[in-house]
Every structure is written in structure tokens, then in C-alpha cells.
Amino acid sequence: PFGLAHATYVHTAAFRTRSSPAFLLQQGRQAPRWKCSDFGQARRRNTGIGSLSSQMVAEADNLDPNLLAKHVLVMFSAAAVLGPLCDGCHSRHDVLHYTAPSLLTAPNGQLLLESCWWVPVLFGIAGIILGVSHPVLDRAAAQNSGAAMRGPPGWRATILSIGCFCSCYELSGVLAQAAALKQVDSHLFSVDLPLLVNAAAIFAIFERSAGGLGMALLTAVVGPVVEIGLIKFGLYHYSHPDFWGIPSWITYVYAAGSPAVGALGRQTLHELRKREQAR
């Protein structure tokens, strides 16, 4: 048995050496490079590619309309719940107040949540846009580069990224309230800079993709613009705005949310695909 095991090891090591990129370059050949389209073709032929996981193969397939509809529903529901809870941090710290609020208070009268009926709808729509777009951008990047498509982050990383975003939301309320109480002339270093560092760290840890960077920057611009419009309609107001009714630091909170929602979008789509394949 030891002789057989040794012979098997030697054969395997020799095969790996002959198939390594360095050996192939010495022989004037190139190492094989799998493309995103190869994953789907291999699956249709029912032939496996040993180094490819079933998750990579599944991610390369075209998105089924029914699967897309489920993904949209999941992202809307998650964002419609999470968004108002995060937004309530600003109300608790006297940063933001609604014109016709819906209040949730504790038995002792303490304010737990201030929101309005249309707030979950807006957050739900934002969740759909961010959650669906990140996997689409991943697929486009894989097709353009010929590299393997980015896999799901896993539930641990997903929950951690959402937790970091919620912490950034809470931090913005705490810092903004503290700056207002101190009546400082500028909150650039006391509020804006810490939130910018938080947003950059969340992106660097959980995202690190060109498509994700584009979505974070787009969210940081579109989010405040939408808020300016809502404030113009008199739906709510910030207690201490800087320009056009909004504080300057709110853009960094939006930027921090994009990687977190993108991670949730990737993970939920992966889970939905697994359920479809299990049927």
C-alpha cells in the first residue's frame, strides 16, 4: 500500500508540474484560460470542469425572469425593513424630522422610531437598484475580462457588511448631534472626515470592484439629489443643513450603503439559484 501511495503521489505531482503555467511557458505553450461562456457550455454538455465549482457554473447562466422577480421581491422587502430602521437613527439624534411622521414609542414615552409611510417604499426601490445591479455588473466584468465570475460573499461577510453600514448610519447621527450641540462653525473634521473614512473602509473590505465603485459614487450623488427634491416638497427637513436643505456628510452615508446592499444582493441571488437548482 505504501508503494502504491508513493507511485500515485509521484504521478500526481508530475501531472501538476507538466500542467503548471510555468512549465507550459517553457514549452512554448499557454495555460488554458476558462472564460465565463465556457462555464455555461460545460454545464449544457453535462461535462464537469474539475477546478470549477457548481456555484461558478450557476452564476454564468442567464438570469431567469422568474428568478429575477424573486430577487427583486427579496431585495425590496429587505431594504424596506432595514432602511427605515437605519433612518430612525437620525430622528433619534435630532438630525432629521418628518412633516407628517409615524411614531413608534416605548411604554415610557421614549421615541423608538420616526418614519413616514413612503419611506419604506423609497428604501425598497433603492434596495432593488443596488441589489440587482451588483450581480449584473459582476457578470459583465467577467464576460469582458474572461475571468471567473465573482462568487457570493457568504452570509457572514454579508451580515458583517450590513452591520458596518448600520454602524456608519448611527455614527453619522451621533457625530452630527454632537457637532450641533457644540455649535461649531465647521464639521468637516468632526463629522465629514470620519464618515468618509468609514465609507472608504467599507468599500475596501467588502467590495473592491470597479463596478461597485461606480455604484457607490452614483449612490453618493443620486441619493442626496433625491433628498433635495423631497425636501423641496416639504416632506421632511434636516435640523442643521449645509446647502440645499441637506448636510454635506450625508453623501458618505449613501456611499457606505452601496457595498452592503450589493453584498446582500449577491448572496440572496446565490441562495435563490441554489433553491431553483435543488428542485
Side-chain angles (χ1 to χ4, degrees), residues 21-265:
F23 181 82
L24 292 174
L25 288 175
Q26 292 176 358
Q27 301 299 316
R29 293 181 291 167
Q30 290 185 347
R33 187 179 183 183
W34 299 110
K35 296 183 178 181
C36 185
S37 58
D38 295 335
F39 302 164
Q41 293 174 4
R43 186 180 182 186
R44 285 189 289 271
R45 293 195 304 266
N46 289 326
T47 60
I49 300 177
S51 61
L52 302 178
S53 66
S54 59
Q55 175 267 324
M56 290 181 178
V57 176
E59 291 290 322
D61 287 344
N62 292 324
L63 191 60
D64 181 78
N66 293 330
L67 188 63
L68 176 60
K70 293 178 181 178
H71 193 211
V72 166
L73 179 60
V74 169
M75 290 308 305
F76 180 89
S77 302
V81 173
L82 181 63
L85 293 177
C86 289
D87 187 58
C89 298
H90 286 170
S91 299
R92 289 197 304 273
H93 293 290
D94 194 30
V95 173
L96 177 151
H97 295 287
Y98 292 92
T99 305
S102 300
L103 303 178
L104 177 63
T105 58
N108 61 359
Q110 181 183 0
L111 177 65
L112 298 178
L113 179 65
E114 177 182 342
S115 188
C116 199
W117 66 267
W118 49 265
V119 174
V121 178
L122 285 186
F123 274 107
I125 294 173
I128 293 173
I129 295 173
L130 292 173
V132 174
S133 63
H134 278 79
V136 172
L137 292 173
D138 291 343
R139 176 176 174 80
Q143 290 176 334
N144 291 334
S145 65
M149 186 171 175
R150 178 173 181 164
W155 279 116
R156 180 179 299 179
T158 300
I159 294 174
L160 185 58
S161 65
I162 294 174
C164 290
F165 168 55
C166 294
S167 299
C168 184
Y169 226 119
E170 174 68 19
L171 180 64
S172 67
V174 171
L175 295 179
Q177 185 179 34
L181 292 175
K182 293 179 181 178
Q183 297 181 346
V184 295
D185 296 332
S186 173
H187 51 70
L188 178 63
F189 294 101
S190 61
V191 183
D192 292 63
L193 184 58
L195 294 179
L196 172 60
V197 171
N198 270 267
I202 290 174
F203 175 84
I205 295 172
F206 299 106
E207 184 56 46
R208 301 191 308 275
S209 72
L213 177 60
M215 290 305 300
L217 295 176
L218 184 64
T219 306
V221 174
V222 174
V225 169
V226 172
E227 286 208 32
I228 292 172
L230 296 174
I231 291 172
K232 290 294 184 182
F233 279 106
L235 296 178
Y236 64 96
H237 67 276
Y238 281 95
S239 301
H240 302 280
D242 294 312
F243 52 85
W244 299 325
I246 62 172
S248 58
W249 49 261
I250 192 64
T251 184
Y252 309 122
V253 178
Y254 277 103
S258 181
V261 182
L264 182 62

